[in-house]
Structure formats: C-alpha cells, structure tokens
Amino acid sequence: ELKVEQNPLFLSMQEGKNYTIYCNYSTTSDRLYWYRQDPGKSLESLFVLLSNGAVKQEGRLMASLDTKARLSTLHITAAVHDLSATYFCAVDIMVVASGTYKYIFGTGTRLKVLA
Amino acid sequence: DAGITQSPRHKVTETGTPVTLRCHQTENHRYMYWYRQDPGHGLRLIHYSYGVKDTDKGEVSDGYSVSRSKTEDFLLTLESATSSQTSVYFCAIRDRRQGYEQYFGPGTRLTVT
C-alpha cells in the first residue's frame, strides 16, 4: 500500500525555537512537495523538491529530500507565530497501468507557535 | 495562481439528493484532480482526469462520478448524497511548467443533512 506518513501530527512550540517535521513515503518517487494550509483556506505551495539531495529555503523554512531514504524534512528555524498552520507533504507517483500521474498526501502536521 | 475556481463554494443538501460540484481552470492544464479533506485524513483523492473524457479513480471513489467534456471543466457528482460525504472538496491542477506542482482551488464546503 502506498503511504505517506508525517510526524509529528501535532506540534506546539515556543517562538524562537527550532524544530523539524518529517515526511516518510513508501514508494519510489523523485518529486516531493510541501504545502501550507491556514484554517478554512486552501493549500498553498511552499516547496517543490525534484531530485535526491534537493534543498530549498524560504525565510524560516527549509525543506530537503533524500530519495534513497524516502524521507523529506521541513525544518523550522526560530519559529514565529505567523508560521502556525497545517503543513502537508505529498509525493508524485506514476500509475503504471495507465502511465498517468497522481499525488499521495500525508495526513498533515498541525503546527502551533506560542508567543 | 493557476486560475482555478470552484462552484458552489458552500452547499447544504439533504441525504439522497444528487449534487454536482464544478471545477474550472483557465490555463489549459491536462490533469485535474478532485480531493476531499476530512479531519485526521489529510487530502484523499477521489477521481482525477488526464484529458478530455479521460478519468481514473482515486482511493475514495465510491459514491462519486466525474466528467470532463471540456479541458477547462471537471465535474464531480454525488449521485445520491450521504452524510458521510459531508466534507470540504478541493480541485487541483498539475502544472508541468512548475515541476509538476499542484495548484488548488478555493474549496467547496458540502454539508449533507
């Protein structure tokens, strides 16, 4: 069964602290995506990771991809309240039978940054 | 912004009634997807389309059908709505120009009473 697992599922952290969210997946994929979702809103793209060893950074967030370990991380540096949201990872996979593409999402990590 | 709109944005309907949700895109993307989002489950794929009249099932397709008669429109139909289909529904496209990134519509909140 294809699975994308995130941990932790919930994260409450103090402002100024660092933390890492992990995304493990069970199938071969060279493309992994991170999204942010605010309450009541749609998903917003954060990072696109397209190869082994890819690293992307935007502000206090940095994402990396290790395709051999089937692991991606989203690292938060010196958290601020505005980062409070739910974060999802997703992998892009090919459906062999049809040659088409679909995405499998993790269940999300709900982050709360306390002032 | 990939020019994705969804309609309606909110709907309340009764059990047993048919419901159709519409997703519209303006940028001629080949792939379109329908997801549902429920607490504790993340996003789950219902159906997707890889071209006009070309569709395939996702992981939670039971009770749903789709149609794509034009590139720009992807319709999701609940033939006979049930309370278990109360959810938030998101449409998305696959953008091959941006690393095959997905862009999402604003969502439709559906309540089945």
Side-chain angles (χ1 to χ4, degrees):
Chain A
E1 183 188 352
L2 304 175
K3 280 188 177 179
V4 178
E5 296 181 332
Q6 289 182 236
N7 69 83
L9 298 184
F10 299 97
L11 176 56
S12 180
M13 57 191 297
Q14 296 287 333
E15 276 193 331
K17 298 294 187 182
N18 304 332
Y19 208 84
T20 300
I21 298 170
Y22 297 88
C23 174
N24 291 272
Y25 53 98
S26 64
T27 186
T28 301
S29 177
D30 289 333
R31 293 193 286 258
L32 189 136
Y33 309 85
W34 284 96
Y35 295 89
R36 168 182 171 142
Q37 186 180 36
D38 293 302
K41 303 292 186 181
S42 186
L43 281 78
E44 171 191 352
S45 180
L46 289 175
F47 298 110
V48 177
L49 303 169
L50 300 178
S51 61
N52 186 43
V55 177
K56 295 280 185 73
Q57 183 162 4
E58 179 75 31
R60 300 174 188 273
L61 300 177
M62 183 174 71
S64 65
L65 178 62
D66 181 344
T67 58
K68 291 182 173 55
R70 299 182 182 177
L71 171 68
S72 180
T73 61
L74 180 65
H75 186 72
I76 304 157
T77 301
V80 293
H81 179 71
D82 284 352
L83 290 179
S84 298
T86 300
Y87 293 86
F88 292 94
C89 63
V91 294
D92 179 14
I93 64 170
M94 187 180 79
V95 179
V96 174
S98 60
T100 60
Y101 290 87
K102 65 181 183 181
Y103 302 80
I104 308 296
F105 279 78
T107 50
T109 296
R110 188 172 172 185
L111 172 65
K112 186 172 183 179
V113 181
L114 305 172
Chain B
D1 183 358
I4 304 166
T5 57
Q6 292 183 232
S7 59
R9 293 292 313 280
H10 301 272
K11 186 169 183 68
V12 180
T13 192
E14 293 184 348
T15 297
T17 59
V19 176
T20 296
L21 308 182
R22 179 182 182 238
C23 178
H24 180 78
Q25 55 129 338
T26 60
E27 297 186 353
N28 207 36
H29 296 287
R30 179 184 170 199
Y31 279 81
M32 298 181 76
Y33 302 81
W34 276 109
Y35 296 92
R36 61 178 290 174
Q37 184 176 35
D38 305 289
H41 290 280
L43 268 77
R44 293 183 291 175
L45 181 65
I46 305 171
H47 282 280
Y48 68 104
S49 170
Y50 47 96
V52 173
K53 299 193 189 316
D54 292 322
T55 65
D56 205 351
K57 296 179 179 179
E59 60 186 304
V60 290
S61 59
D62 287 349
Y64 301 94
S65 63
V66 289
S67 66
R68 192 163 178 207
S69 58
K70 300 185 289 184
T71 299
E72 58 266 34
D73 289 325
F74 191 31
L75 303 181
L76 177 70
T77 298
L78 291 65
E79 301 289 348
S80 178
T82 67
S83 58
S84 65
Q85 293 176 311
T86 292
S87 188
V88 179
Y89 292 84
F90 288 101
C91 172
I93 59 90
R94 174 185 173 90
D95 192 343
R96 62 191 179 118
R97 302 166 302 177
Q98 302 290 338
Y100 302 100
E101 186 175 10
Q102 282 200 299
Y103 290 95
F104 287 83
T108 295
R109 183 172 294 276
L110 176 66
T111 302
V112 183
T113 61

